[in-house]
Amino acid sequence: MNVYSKHSSSSVPSAPVRAATRRSVLRGLGVATAVGTAAVCLPAATAHAVPAGRRTGGASDTYALTLVHLGRDGTPTTDYRTLLTALSGPDAGSGRELKESPSTVTVQVAAGRYLLDTAIATRPVGEGNWGNDWLVQPRLDVDRDMTLVLDARVARPVDIRPPVADAGFEQGGVFAEVTYEGVTGFAHLLTRSLDLRIAHLGPATERGAVRTWVDSYWSRPGGVCALGYVFRGERAPTGLVRHPTPGDLATLVVRAGVPASGGGTALVDFSPSAGPSPALALAVPSGGTGTFLLTPERGTWDLVYGAQPEQEGPANNHFVLGRSFTPGSTTVHTFDTPVFGPALDSSPGARPVAQRTGDTLDLTVPLLADGEGHTPSSPLFTASTVTLHRNGTLVATRRGEKPGHASFTVPAGRAAYRLTASATRPRGSVTAAWTFTSATTATTTDLPLSAVRFGPDLALDGTAPAHTTSRVAVTVEGAARLSGVRSLTVSVSTDRGATWTRAALTGGRITVTTPEPGKAVSLRAELTDAHGNTLTQTHIDAYVTRATGAR
């Protein structure tokens, strides 16, 4: 049986909160903490002291395990938290926690393999921070009465620092996963203090059975340093020193567009994809930027951009997940800027957005993705309609639902369909009309929908300078990108679609001359893919103009 034991190591209070706009989230465990909280303790069974000596008569033999806790000065200490996670035996997958106990404590445990970790705290002198010593024994085989000395003096410092002088330490975490015979034990410690030391105890485990990682988060003006390191082997680390150079790190720049609802502040959570980690959220004002410096070797990273509404309501979250970075690189993500429209991810393994299962058509088309194709969780719209025709006859119309989302039940026979989805925003609208043929399916089958994306060069408020000529990128997504494009024409309007002018498409771009300040550019694409499926996509007031030189 594969068991993931979610028990937590504790740390002790340290420095006060540096900034009220920041929050800490233990990503991967589903546990959130306020910034001022030093650690998270998940529920665990508390051990009670028992007399020494072997016991029998149950499903397994039990033995007396005596634990002696010594602080950094070598004297007994009660400032500790010790966790035993069973990796085999009758209690496999469960944890037993010891805290607020005598410095020497004896517990009765079943025979088997255990992961033991202990956090020993050192009280500060004066106004200093608490010190934390984390001792990890990935392999504790209990087959007799035993005594273990958990001595903080064997731990060595964790010294991870970014290569920028304006960074201040916020929080860190050390984590360990140990796998034995299909059971995985987990332990961790979170701290707000730089005074952290770690050590491996006991014998080595089986090859590759121990996965540990250390994450350190630092704040700086307008940014965050996210430094993480991962290790796999037979032992936990004893101490860790990492002083990366600027060339060792990657840079992620997040640009916050100004939503149609007005200004506000976005909250950006950025953390490693793999394993839990304390994520340090960064507040980015509308029209502003935030910068993350990160360690590419930590693996892939997840970014969650949450545009906070000025009034009550859900945050409009955008997710950029599982992204890799290379040392020395700079990546820019811009959110909440035009042109808003359908986005269909054509990459292998992407989540389908339009499918037929038997005689049911299910649509989850992101009709109002932002200019970079980020799909919003709560798109801003004032009206929404999805209509389906079969052989020219109306099947049904869905109104007021999330743009591009609908479900229809249709007859089994093969027929020609016209699917139209539209959404109206505070300024402008988006309409996409697809035609295709379809019949009942034995298994879930993707519908052959396509989308066209437009990429003008816009300011963060979504505007382009008036009376200027620019090249606008045009790209194809969805079924046409996979099967090929038979034809594609693009038209431009500066009178909200009253008249249209064909724009020559060369090198994947069209040329657009913007109208006077305060006016808008509208766009239309007409596409036929290699199999004859069509798309007509219209953006009324795709983006607006501003006076030249204004921002």
Side-chain angles (χ1 to χ4, degrees):
M1 179 173 64
N2 190 359
V3 178
Y4 195 125
S5 180
K6 295 184 178 180
H7 296 287
S8 171
S9 300
S10 300
S11 68
V12 290
S14 60
V17 179
R18 290 178 54 89
T21 57
R22 301 193 183 279
R23 71 178 181 189
S24 157
V25 179
L26 185 58
R27 293 284 303 280
L29 288 181
V31 178
T33 71
V35 251
T37 302
V40 175
C41 283
L42 301 181
T46 301
H48 300 281
V50 297
R54 178 180 175 184
R55 294 181 178 179
T56 60
S60 173
D61 290 344
T62 62
Y63 297 94
L65 176 63
T66 300
L67 303 173
V68 181
H69 299 84
L70 303 179
R72 288 185 184 180
D73 59 1
T75 62
T77 181
T78 59
D79 289 322
Y80 69 85
R81 191 283 313 134
T82 295
L83 180 66
L84 277 168
T85 301
L87 302 178
S88 70
D91 299 326
S94 65
R96 177 183 293 185
E97 187 177 52
L98 291 159
K99 61 181 181 179
E100 300 176 354
S101 299
S103 58
T104 298
V105 61
T106 299
V107 294
Q108 202 76 18
V109 297
R113 171 75 64 89
Y114 291 83
L115 159 65
L116 179 147
D117 77 284
T118 186
I120 299 176
T122 299
R123 296 180 181 274
V125 177
E127 297 299 322
N129 292 329
W130 286 74
N132 294 285
D133 296 295
W134 196 48
L135 313 179
V136 181
Q137 183 159 341
R139 179 176 181 175
L140 173 59
D141 293 314
V142 177
D143 55 6
R144 62 190 184 281
D145 292 347
M146 304 175 66
T147 298
L148 293 180
V149 177
L150 305 174
D151 190 342
R153 292 173 295 178
V154 304
R156 296 294 178 262
V158 173
D159 183 7
I160 300 174
R161 297 178 183 272
V164 287
D166 60 355
F169 178 73
E170 290 282 357
Q171 58 201 25
V174 286
F175 306 81
E177 280 183 350
V178 181
T179 302
Y180 178 69
E181 294 183 347
V183 176
T184 298
F186 175 80
H188 75 275
L189 179 147
L190 302 180
T191 181
R192 298 296 304 274
S193 171
L194 276 172
D195 187 1
L196 171 64
R197 311 192 313 173
I198 59 177
H200 169 93
L201 300 182
T205 67
E206 292 73 18
R207 183 176 181 181
V210 181
R211 180 175 178 266
T212 55
W213 60 99
V214 183
D215 293 327
S216 181
Y217 289 85
W218 301 64
S219 64
R220 56 196 303 247
V224 168
C225 298
L227 312 179
Y229 301 91
V230 182
F231 310 92
R232 183 177 289 277
E234 293 73 52
R235 302 170 64 87
T238 296
L240 181 65
V241 177
R242 291 291 187 274
H243 298 160
T245 67
D248 295 329
L249 304 181
T251 301
L252 170 66
V253 179
V254 175
R255 304 170 73 236
V258 180
S261 59
T265 298
L267 204 58
V268 183
D269 282 324
F270 184 69
S271 67
S273 306
S277 176
L280 186 61
L282 177 66
V284 182
S286 296
T289 62
T291 302
F292 294 85
L293 299 179
L294 62 111
T295 45
E297 60 264 47
R298 179 61 171 85
T300 60
W301 293 76
D302 294 343
L303 185 156
V304 182
Y305 176 96
Q308 306 300 307
E310 291 190 315
Q311 300 177 349
E312 284 191 35
N316 188 17
N317 293 320
H318 303 73
F319 300 89
V320 181
L321 307 179
R323 297 304 171 93
S324 299
F325 299 88
T326 57
S329 65
T330 297
T331 303
V332 179
H333 279 286
T334 303
F335 295 89
D336 268 343
T337 59
V339 172
F340 296 95
L344 305 180
D345 189 350
S346 309
S347 60
R351 184 179 67 87
V353 296
Q355 296 183 310
R356 179 167 181 164
T357 304
D359 296 326
T360 300
L361 276 62
D362 292 306
L363 310 173
T364 56
V365 177
L367 197 62
L368 293 177
D370 69 14
E372 283 195 0
H374 305 120
T375 301
S377 62
S378 301
L380 185 65
F381 69 99
T382 57
S384 171
T385 303
V386 181
T387 300
L388 182 67
H389 288 80
R390 181 180 185 271
N391 289 336
T393 300
L394 178 65
V395 174
T397 297
R398 307 283 187 255
R399 300 182 187 278
E401 299 180 20
K402 189 173 181 178
H405 287 55
S407 182
F408 300 92
T409 300
V410 296
R414 188 171 185 82
Y417 288 89
R418 179 178 177 84
L419 173 66
T420 304
S422 64
T424 303
R425 290 173 45 80
R427 175 163 184 171
S429 63
V430 178
T431 301
W434 298 274
T435 66
F436 55 90
T437 58
S438 177
T440 190
T441 61
T443 59
T444 300
T445 304
D446 293 351
L447 298 177
L449 307 190
S450 300
V452 174
R453 303 287 303 167
F454 296 98
D457 184 14
L458 304 177
L460 285 176
D461 64 359
T463 64
H467 301 305
T468 59
T469 299
S470 63
R471 299 278 286 165
V472 175
V474 179
T475 57
V476 173
E477 296 181 345
R481 183 170 180 175
L482 300 175
S483 67
V485 176
R486 180 182 299 174
S487 66
L488 172 61
T489 60
V490 177
S491 302
V492 178
S493 173
T494 56
D495 56 10
R496 307 195 75 246
T499 59
W500 294 93
T501 301
R502 181 76 58 86
L505 181 60
T506 57
R509 293 178 180 272
I510 60 171
T511 298
V512 175
T513 300
T514 55
E516 62 190 81
K519 298 294 184 179
V521 174
S522 299
L523 300 165
R524 185 175 65 193
E526 298 167 282
L527 177 147
T528 302
D529 70 13
H531 299 300
N533 306 301
T534 72
L535 162 71
T536 301
Q537 182 177 312
T538 306
H539 303 257
I540 300 298
D541 291 357
Y543 58 96
V544 299
T545 59
R546 65 179 186 274
T548 304
R551 282 283 181 177

